[in-house]
């Protein structure tokens, strides 16, 4: 044992990494393959004054480590890492810069942007060396005691084929919510409010996907414009929940756990949107906050022949190096921590293609994907990826291995284009509605692998899709040049809000058409919070920096909003009640000779089956989709016993008469959905061959009423023979 700066220090252990309270003291362990020395700096409770410094005495397997018997939960600390400052060789060590522990589970303070945070002299080349101390501008790590009384908390384990995702933002969802006390709005505790949880439950979604809650930085250039990083895609710490979402910031980790427990009690899952593809440290001109000062050459992908510079497959300045074993370990440790310690139910990976990149490009058998696939913890939770990045070969929809679900932007674009009224879109609609087999039907992947979405945090809200032809991002301070200009949107006749009754009626119908299509399609539906009541961002399709009323959900729903909420609840209830709407098998429209049925039949408005001429006709805009409940539901070749339903989609501008088809074993049809109606249809029966008018730009759904005698005979025919 040695003693320095008043602190007793022992050798400690290299595992686990980070600061670990053992009950007898705290073990500190930090990976760096290229450092020469690591100093542990201890601060007072406020994190403002350094009260001691000691070098970690041992270096084992590229991990510096030491044990402080006198340290306790609540101890505030940071590191100073010594080594070569050789940017041309990829090394940017500068012990004048306090760096945050990558494994920090609690954090004190926040970043205060100042020139002292940069390893080089700002205004000069990044090869210069800045000797000013950065500690007073840096957040520090705090040792935590992870103890929490979970009680009988159990993961809901919602089956994939029953999952309905709901993307939202902790602050945006609760900031204006009238049931949440003012002091709790915008926090984990606010989201855990009983009325909030019950609203989400009644809506019929199963899994809440939260925008990033890992500790992240507010970019300095946004601060200069009076804006902030609202979405949070600029991570600094992969283990610490953001203090900004806690009513009591020092207890963010326990408030997060309480929120998860409340959602689990209601049978709802929590999915985290995570950003392991890059960090907030930017490129060679960025600050030294953590990884860059600990081991830049290990943590980041650098240009092989110019290691001063970063590979920028993310478009953010740097790319995390998932080809490094210790970096993979950090990401895996982080993911397991959030599952085992924080009880989350899955993850959505931002720019997920990055995580599967090796030095030569995307690889389905990358180190990270293999590590996840064999992990006994992570292989049991939901893993969702955004399967693209801006690097070479970055678009990989359908390219991830079995077990992963993927955001499907082709679903969004094709369905938007169809309901917008574009010509020649019925073929694309058919492929997307039936599970996008062109991308996902391989290697035994089920239809739920496609995460179907029409809107997300980036892009128009559903209301704005039906209200704006053009983006209106002026509030972002970038002269409306940011955000995607190709939105496949149509304003229905007026740009933005209008008093025109006909236009507003059409917009509401279009919103309902989109919502119904989403929740009736094969695959995993994802709903953007607020779309269920027509939330608007006033045409802003890139509100990443708008921590204000543009992004916050307005809970003054009005008649239109409440009507839409009821409609969405009706849709999710139908999806639960009718298994044929969420089966995991892809729909093929192929004749099953053995069973004598097709799983799906595409119909003309006349009730006749679509022929090739109809498919090839660019003017075809009205189609019927007959989902046969007798279709095979598993690998066992036998008829199913699901309800049979008929969905009709009409993107034509005028009404189209529909002939309701005759189906063996049925008596009549009952209408379950008509997006032209103000409420839900009644139980009126419609005879076979009856005519029903599909209003211009509307969606219908009918359920087959079975002939009871036929059904009883069918059961008798299919009853298993007794075992002898």
């Amino acid at each position: 044992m040695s003693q320095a700066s008043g602190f007793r220090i022992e050798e400690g252990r290299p595992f686990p990494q980070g600061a670990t309270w053992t009950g007898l003291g705290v073990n500190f362990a930090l990976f760096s393959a290229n450092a020469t020395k690591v100093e542990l700096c201890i601060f007072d409770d406020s994190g403002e004054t350094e009260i001691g410094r000691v070098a970690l005495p041992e270096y084992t397997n590229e991990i510096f480590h030491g044990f402080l018997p006198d340290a306790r939960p609540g101890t505030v600390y940071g590191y100073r890492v010594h080594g070569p400052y050789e940017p041309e060789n990829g090394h940017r060590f500068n012990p004048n810069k306090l760096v945050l522990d990558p494994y920090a589970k609690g954090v004190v303070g926040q970043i205060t942007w100042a020139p002292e945070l940069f390893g080089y002299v700002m205004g000069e080349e990044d090869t210069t060396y800045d000797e000013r101390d950065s500690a007073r501008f840096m957040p520090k790590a705090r040792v935590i005691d992870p103890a929490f009384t979970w009680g009988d908390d159990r993961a809901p384990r919602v089956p994939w084929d029953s999952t309905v995702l709901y993307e939202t933002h902790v602050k945006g969802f609760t900031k204006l919510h009238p049931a949440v006390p003012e002091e709790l709005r915008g926090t984990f505790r606010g989201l855990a409010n009983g009325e909030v949880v019950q609203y989400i439950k009644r809506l019929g979604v199963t899994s809440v996907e939260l925008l990033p809650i890992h500790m992240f930085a507010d970019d300095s250039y946004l601060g200069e414009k009076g804006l902030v990083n609202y979405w949070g895609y600029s991570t600094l710490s992969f283990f610490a929940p953001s203090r900004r979402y806690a009513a009591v910031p020092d207890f963010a980790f326990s408030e997060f756990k309480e929120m998860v427990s409340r959602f689990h009690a209601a049978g709802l899952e929590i999915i985290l949107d995570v950003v392991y593809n890059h960090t907030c440290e930017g490129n060679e001109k960025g600050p030294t906050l953590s990884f860059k000062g600990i081991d830049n050459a290990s943590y980041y992908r650098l240009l092989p022949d110019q290691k001063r510079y970063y590979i920028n497959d993310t478009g953010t300045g740097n790319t995390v190096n998932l080809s490094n074993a210790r970096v993979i370990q950090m990401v895996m440790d982080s993911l397991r921590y959030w599952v085992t310690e924080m009880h989350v139910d899955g993850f959505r990976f931002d720019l997920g293609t990055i995580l599967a990149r090796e030095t030569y490009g995307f690889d389905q058998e990358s180190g990270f994907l293999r590590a996840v696939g064999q992990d006994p913890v992570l292989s049991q939770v939901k893993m969702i990826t955004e399967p693209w990045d801006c690097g070479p070969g970055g678009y990989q929809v359908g390219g991830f291995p079995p077990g992963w679900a993927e955001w499907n932007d082709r679903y969004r674009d094709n369905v938007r284009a169809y309901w917008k009224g574009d010509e020649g879109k019925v073929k694309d609609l058919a492929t997307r509605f039936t599970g996008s087999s062109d991308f996902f039907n391989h290697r035994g992947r089920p239809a739920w692998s496609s995460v179907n979405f029409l809107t997300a945090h980036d892009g128009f809200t559903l209301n704005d899709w039906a209200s704006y032809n053009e983006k209106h991002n002026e509030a972002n301070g970038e002269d409306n040049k940011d955000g995607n200009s190709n939105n496949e949107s149509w304003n229905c006749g007026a740009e933005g809000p209008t008093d025109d009754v006909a236009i507003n009626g059409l917009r509401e119908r279009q919103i309902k058409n989109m919502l119904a299509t989403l929740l009736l399609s094969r695959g995993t539906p994802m709903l953007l919070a607020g779309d269920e009541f027509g939330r608007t961002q006033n045409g802003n399709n890139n509100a990443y920096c708008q921590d204000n009323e543009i992004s916050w959900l307005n809970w003054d729903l009005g008649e239109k909003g409440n009507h839409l909420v009821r409609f969405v609840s009706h849709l999710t209830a139908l999806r639960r009640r009718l298994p044929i709407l969420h089966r995991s098998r892809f729909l093929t429209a192929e004749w099953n000779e053995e069973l004598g049925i097709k799983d799906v039949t595409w119909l003309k408005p006349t009730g006749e089956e679509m022929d090739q001429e109809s498919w090839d006709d660019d003017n075809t805009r009205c189609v019927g989709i007959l989902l046969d409940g007798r279709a095979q539901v598993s690998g066992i070749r036998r008829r199913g016993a699901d309800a049979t339903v008929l969905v009709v989609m009409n993107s034509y501008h005028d009404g189209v008469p529909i002939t309701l088809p005759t189906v063996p074993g049925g008596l009549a049809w009952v209408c379950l959905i008509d997006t032209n109606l103000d409420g839900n249809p009644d139980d009126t029966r419609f005879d076979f061959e009856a005519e029903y008018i599909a209003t211009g730009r509307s969606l219908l759904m009918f359920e087959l009423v079975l002939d009871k005698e036929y059904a009883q005979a069918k059961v008798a025919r299919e009853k298993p023979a007794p075992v002898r």
Side-chain angles (χ1 to χ4, degrees), residues 61 188 438:
N61 297 329
F188 298 128
D438 53 339

Side-chain angles (χ1 to χ4, degrees), residues 227-249:
L227 302 170
V228 299
N229 180 358
Y230 174 69
W231 287 348
Y233 292 92
S234 192
T235 305
L236 176 57
S237 174
F238 296 118
F239 290 80
S242 179
R243 292 167 55 88
R244 71 186 70 196
Y245 299 138
V248 181

Side-chain angles (χ1 to χ4, degrees), residues 176-352:
L176 300 177
H177 201 293
V180 178
E182 184 69 34
E183 67 276 11
L184 299 183
R185 293 181 182 180
T187 69
F188 298 128
R189 291 181 62 191
L191 196 60
N193 176 276
E195 288 194 35
V196 171
V197 174
Q198 285 308 307
Y199 167 83
I200 296 173
K201 182 71 174 178
R202 288 194 302 270
L203 195 60
V205 300
T206 66
S207 311
V208 178
E209 184 177 303
L210 298 177
L211 265 66
I213 58 86
H214 288 170
M215 183 191 176
F216 60 89
D218 284 315
D219 306 272
S220 58
Y221 77 93
L222 290 175
E224 293 168 0
K225 295 191 291 186
L227 302 170
V228 299
N229 180 358
Y230 174 69
W231 287 348
Y233 292 92
S234 192
T235 305
L236 176 57
S237 174
F238 296 118
F239 290 80
S242 179
R243 292 167 55 88
R244 71 186 70 196
Y245 299 138
V248 181
D250 286 346
F251 293 95
F253 62 94
S254 58
E255 291 188 18
F256 180 88
K257 291 179 178 181
E258 180 184 354
M259 178 197 72
V260 172
S261 180
R262 294 285 182 87
F263 274 79
H264 282 181
L268 295 167
E269 295 181 316
I270 293 291
I271 310 293
L272 296 187
D273 193 334
V274 289
V275 189
Y276 295 105
N277 59 80
H278 73 279
T279 76
C280 62
E281 290 187 302
N283 59 17
E284 67 277 1
K285 294 288 190 178
T288 297
L289 307 173
S290 182
F291 314 94
K292 186 178 290 186
I294 294 171
D295 195 346
N296 184 67
S298 292
Y299 278 108
Y300 293 117
R301 292 193 185 278
L302 308 177
L303 291 176
D305 54 348
Q306 291 181 296
K307 293 186 177 180
R308 174 183 170 186
Y309 302 106
Y310 297 75
I311 292 174
N312 187 21
D313 290 334
T314 65
T316 64
N318 65 56
T319 303
V320 173
N321 182 16
L322 267 294
S323 293
N324 183 286
R326 288 296 187 188
V327 178
I328 289 181
Q329 180 187 14
M330 177 192 69
V331 173
M332 296 292 290
D333 287 348
S334 170
L335 292 169
R336 280 191 294 262
Y337 173 78
W338 286 98
V339 174
T340 60
E341 186 60 42
M342 308 297 266
H343 287 206
V344 304
D345 304 287
F347 305 92
R348 178 266 186 188
F349 293 84
D350 177 63
L351 301 182

Side-chain angles (χ1 to χ4, degrees), residues 43-49 51 74-76 108 142 250:
F43 291 80
D44 64 5
D45 289 344
S46 69
E48 295 178 359
T49 304
I51 58 176
T75 297
V76 178
V108 175
R142 185 194 294 274
D250 286 346

Side-chain angles (χ1 to χ4, degrees), residues 35 47 56 91 175 183 263 293 298 337 383 389 396 424 427 467 504 515 531 602 642 711 721:
L56 295 181
H91 302 308
K175 185 61 178 176
E183 67 276 11
F263 274 79
S298 292
Y337 173 78
M383 304 295 271
D389 62 34
Q396 291 293 335
K427 288 182 181 178
S467 303
N504 286 330
L515 290 167
D531 276 353
W602 292 84
D642 291 346

